[in-house]
Amino acid sequence: MVAAAAGVSRATVSRVVNGSTSVAPEAAAAVHAAVEALNYVPNRMARSLASRRTDVIALIVPESTSTVFADPFFAPVVRGVARALSDTDYTLNLLIASESRPEKTRRYLLGGNVDGALVVSHHASDHSYLGLGDTLPIVFGGRPVNPELADAWFVDVDNRASARLATEHLLARGRTRIATIAGRQDMPAGIDRLEGWRDALGAAGAPADRVEFGDFTQASGAAAMERLLAATESTGAATGTGLDGVFVANDQMAAGAIRTLLSHGLSVPGDVAVVGYDDDTFAATITPPLTTVHQPSAELGAQMAQVLVRRLAGDTPPHRTLIPTHLVERDSS
Amino acid sequence: MVAAAAGVSRATVSRVVNGSTSVAPEAAAAVHAAVEALNYVPNRMARSLASRRTDVIALIVPESTSTVFADPFFAPVVRGVARALSDTDYTLNLLIASESRPEKTRRYLLGGNVDGALVVSHHASDHSYLGLGDTLPIVFGGRPVNPELADAWFVDVDNRASARLATEHLLARGRTRIATIAGRQDMPAGIDRLEGWRDALGAAGAPADRVEFGDFTQASGAAAMERLLAATESTGAATGTGLDGVFVANDQMAAGAIRTLLSHGLSVPGDVAVVGYDDDTFAATITPPLTTVHQPSAELGAQMAQVLVRRLAGDTPPHRTLIPTHLVERDSS
DNA sequence: GTGAAAGCGCTAACAT
DNA sequence: ATGTTAGCGCTTTCAC
């Protein structure tokens, strides 16, 4: 080590470089000067070998490159992770996994290249990384589905609380006959958002019996709204009086529902207030602009990073971190 | 090394793992079996320390995360790099540079984490990576501007040849009075595309005297077209006969030019054929769909990777690699 | 507070 | 064809 030519031993240089305590001020100064003069950069491989840590965290996105760049979900997540990590000494390492052979990624992860990994994906059907959890600290993000992941670490958006929030907003606006268009019941997003709607209505003592299901597409939202309207009319109530608010499990379906409402001559939010979920790219531009629950993707990334960093620091954060959301109030409610 | 418990020495295990020649078939088999049984994955740090190579290539994008994901230019480049690298043993390492402190990236690069780096950016004003070229093999991509980079390795799109191609297409279509709307002359894209137009016309013995300049915006293209038309009319020729083709240095300006042409009652391509450059997102959807030069971004990424891999293999590829483009023929010509 | 010595897990001559 | 011997450049007990 050339820097030792600054009067001290390799050990002392190491101490200084790593900001260790118990080093004489003058010795430290000498080392710093030498480091500066020699333009010294410690070799990370050697350091890692000796210290058994890399200071690198991998962010694994098990999608094709095109998807990663096309899908509006990933960008904020990456940004959130990067931001959270920039406060630390960890370097971020984006691994677009499906581009190369999975085996390559696996070896990379297991080969001691990183101290921990973040895995983010839409579809939790990918089991590739489950086994790694025992060897390498991993934090999953996005929308967990696998039941076997009970012992894993997760960061997720609190769908249930968010749906409750949205429904309570409808209640606060004076709406009393609130229906919901729920999503597919084989996904957490579908199940939890329906539960949240029930929570809010139950707590308010209002009946939670007007439910129709869709599959998150705009067409299914329009159809579900038709059914809701038909059921309401058959109860004998005057048009519009049997229903004055709807919580829709995502913005796409909400757009469809509004279309149906308007085509029936009902006004939004005059006759029926609508609240969606996602705050997707179109939420602000449809007519009327949609009140919806904002999906905090950057926050998801940031929290994932933080949970992993805490684990790496020897801390034991909770296995499941739920991120609160917030309502974006626009004109549809 | 536990695998040595498979009957041979560490050295032999190393040979087998690294696919070396001269290992007895039975010895190799024994090692493979042991590797399998013990679920052995070589430690990359140790391997790197000893072999002085990492098998990792960094792709540095000196932009903010938001830009990287929003800009349609980067996605195909990353995809191209990833694809090219998937044929090799190199692992790709995406570094979104501006997100963390530049110093962090520099240390990462100099700290022996990677065997080489790819730097891609729109604006070549960033000098951060110039100094590294002496220490670490780097290949730049995109649109080089810095003259100091004469000794660096580059991969770039052949703007000049492409512009010539576009102009020749106009010639082949029987157009004889071909103007150009050139871009800013302080950028290679502006300069080279004008040169290419001159090349084609010169080779065909046609006069290359109708030039107007724009700044790559749609408005400037529309204005330049106005000037071209005015100049043509002042020559006394009947409207439209003084000009029957235009090569425009990018699609945005081409869109503006077409708007001007149509507003003057001229038909495209009937009276004037138009060829653009970039094949951007809107090229196919404007009226009429634009004939344009496709920008091979994925190819750029792939070539960058290949040049770097060749350098790492000890080969000496040319400093400057020019990627040929191709014309996308639509209805405007 | 600081130096000496012992590796971290592997590869690469050099022998054999 | 295979084993032996040295390190790669750093961190880290352990003495002093």
Side-chain angles (χ1 to χ4, degrees):
Chain A
M1 191 194 293
V2 246
V8 295
S9 76
R10 300 156 40 107
T12 300
V13 172
S14 179
R15 291 189 182 99
V16 173
V17 169
N18 293 302
S20 161
T21 51
S22 44
V23 175
E26 49 267 26
V31 172
H32 277 130
V35 163
E36 203 67 25
L38 279 59
N39 203 5
Y40 168 73
V41 176
N43 180 307
R44 212 142 189 176
M45 300 307 162
R47 185 206 289 258
S48 294
L49 228 209
S51 66
R52 326 193 77 2
R53 50 201 308 279
T54 64
D55 288 334
V56 176
I57 284 179
L59 172 53
I60 307 166
V61 186
E63 301 283 349
S64 70
T65 312
S66 344
T67 305
V68 175
F69 283 92
D71 192 319
F73 172 68
F74 293 112
V77 174
V78 176
R79 186 152 27 87
V81 171
R83 187 161 33 75
L85 250 30
S86 76
D87 295 337
T88 73
D89 281 330
Y90 289 104
T91 296
L92 176 59
N93 206 167
L94 220 194
L95 252 62
I96 297 178
S98 74
E99 207 62 41
S100 39
R101 295 152 285 182
E103 194 47 30
K104 222 161 134 181
T105 305
R106 204 186 142 75
R107 292 181 76 80
Y108 185 78
L109 259 21
L110 253 28
N113 286 290
V114 300
D115 290 346
L118 263 19
V119 179
V120 59
S121 173
H122 276 322
H123 49 64
S125 55
D126 195 336
H127 290 216
S128 327
Y129 306 102
L130 295 186
L132 303 185
D134 304 324
T135 315
L136 189 75
I138 297 187
V139 173
F140 293 86
R143 302 160 186 178
V145 181
N146 297 321
E148 322 105 70
L149 288 170
D151 59 336
W153 270 260
F154 268 113
V155 175
D156 198 10
V157 168
D158 192 342
N159 282 295
R160 184 166 179 170
S162 306
R164 175 173 183 156
L165 196 75
T167 310
E168 284 171 347
H169 166 76
L170 250 14
L171 254 5
R173 277 279 206 265
R175 307 293 165 150
T176 55
R177 298 174 301 279
I178 304 173
T180 190
I181 295 178
R184 291 174 44 177
Q185 295 298 296
D186 58 350
M187 308 173 78
I191 300 167
D192 297 349
R193 291 173 194 177
L194 175 55
E195 280 312 307
W197 171 79
R198 289 212 173 96
D199 290 348
L201 259 27
D209 52 1
R210 300 169 214 229
V211 182
E212 284 295 340
F213 297 90
D215 61 3
F216 289 126
T217 64
Q218 191 164 335
S220 75
M225 193 70 232
E226 289 284 3
R227 294 196 297 275
L228 238 24
L229 253 21
T232 299
E233 278 167 22
S234 70
T235 64
T239 299
T241 62
L243 185 70
D244 58 8
V246 190
F247 164 60
V248 191
N250 82 332
D251 289 353
Q252 285 299 301
M253 292 199 295
I258 288 177
R259 215 176 51 212
T260 297
L261 250 11
L262 298 179
S263 76
H264 277 256
L266 295 168
S267 78
V268 177
D271 295 313
V272 181
V274 176
V275 177
Y277 197 111
D278 273 355
D279 193 19
D280 73 19
T281 342
F282 303 105
T285 52
I286 64 173
T287 307
L290 192 65
T291 291
T292 186
V293 176
H294 181 75
Q295 193 73 289
S297 308
E299 189 56 26
L300 175 73
Q303 292 277 0
M304 286 175 67
Q306 277 165 27
V307 170
L308 183 54
V309 169
R310 284 184 58 189
R311 286 187 62 193
L312 293 177
D315 204 354
T316 310
H319 280 247
R320 188 176 183 85
T321 301
L322 252 21
I323 304 176
T325 53
H326 67 269
L327 197 70
V328 179
E329 298 190 27
R330 298 208 179 87
D331 303 341
S332 69
S333 68
Chain B
M1 192 191 291
V2 248
V8 295
S9 76
R10 301 156 41 104
T12 301
V13 172
S14 179
R15 290 188 184 101
V16 172
V17 170
N18 294 303
S20 161
T21 52
S22 43
V23 175
E26 48 268 26
V31 172
H32 276 130
V35 163
E36 202 68 27
L38 279 58
N39 203 4
Y40 168 75
V41 176
N43 180 308
R44 215 153 189 160
M45 300 305 162
R47 182 205 292 255
S48 294
L49 230 208
S51 66
R52 325 192 72 13
R53 52 203 306 279
T54 64
D55 288 336
V56 176
I57 284 178
L59 172 54
I60 306 167
V61 185
E63 301 283 349
S64 70
T65 311
S66 344
T67 306
V68 174
F69 282 92
D71 192 319
F73 172 67
F74 293 111
V77 174
V78 176
R79 186 152 27 86
V81 171
R83 187 161 33 75
L85 250 30
S86 75
D87 296 337
T88 73
D89 280 329
Y90 289 104
T91 297
L92 175 60
N93 206 168
L94 219 193
L95 252 60
I96 296 177
S98 74
E99 206 61 43
S100 38
R101 295 152 285 180
E103 194 47 31
K104 224 162 130 180
T105 305
R106 206 186 139 76
R107 293 181 75 80
Y108 184 78
L109 259 21
L110 253 28
N113 286 290
V114 301
D115 291 345
L118 264 16
V119 179
V120 58
S121 172
H122 275 323
H123 49 65
S125 56
D126 194 337
H127 290 215
S128 325
Y129 306 100
L130 295 187
L132 303 185
D134 305 324
T135 316
L136 189 75
I138 296 187
V139 173
F140 292 85
R143 302 157 187 184
V145 181
N146 298 320
E148 320 107 70
L149 286 171
D151 59 336
W153 270 260
F154 269 113
V155 175
D156 198 10
V157 167
D158 193 343
N159 283 295
R160 183 166 179 169
S162 307
R164 174 171 183 158
L165 196 73
T167 309
E168 285 170 348
H169 166 76
L170 251 14
L171 253 6
R173 276 281 204 264
R175 307 294 165 151
T176 54
R177 299 173 300 278
I178 303 172
T180 189
I181 296 179
R184 292 175 43 178
Q185 295 299 296
D186 58 350
M187 307 172 77
I191 301 167
D192 297 348
R193 292 173 194 177
L194 175 55
E195 279 313 305
W197 171 80
R198 289 212 174 96
D199 290 347
L201 258 28
D209 51 1
R210 301 170 215 227
V211 183
E212 286 296 340
F213 296 90
D215 61 4
F216 288 128
T217 63
Q218 191 164 334
S220 75
M225 193 69 235
E226 289 286 1
R227 294 196 297 276
L228 238 26
L229 252 20
T232 299
E233 278 166 22
S234 72
T235 63
T239 299
T241 61
L243 185 70
D244 58 8
V246 191
F247 164 61
V248 191
N250 82 333
D251 289 352
Q252 285 299 300
M253 292 199 296
I258 288 178
R259 216 176 50 213
T260 296
L261 249 14
L262 298 180
S263 76
H264 277 255
L266 294 168
S267 78
V268 177
D271 295 312
V272 182
V274 177
V275 176
Y277 197 110
D278 273 355
D279 193 19
D280 72 20
T281 341
F282 303 105
T285 52
I286 64 174
T287 307
L290 192 64
T291 291
T292 185
V293 176
H294 180 74
Q295 193 72 291
S297 306
E299 188 58 25
L300 175 74
Q303 292 278 359
M304 286 175 67
Q306 278 166 26
V307 170
L308 183 54
V309 168
R310 283 184 59 187
R311 286 188 61 194
L312 293 177
D315 204 354
T316 308
H319 280 246
R320 188 177 183 85
T321 302
L322 253 20
I323 304 177
T325 53
H326 67 269
L327 197 70
V328 179
E329 298 190 29
R330 298 208 179 87
D331 303 342
S332 69
S333 68

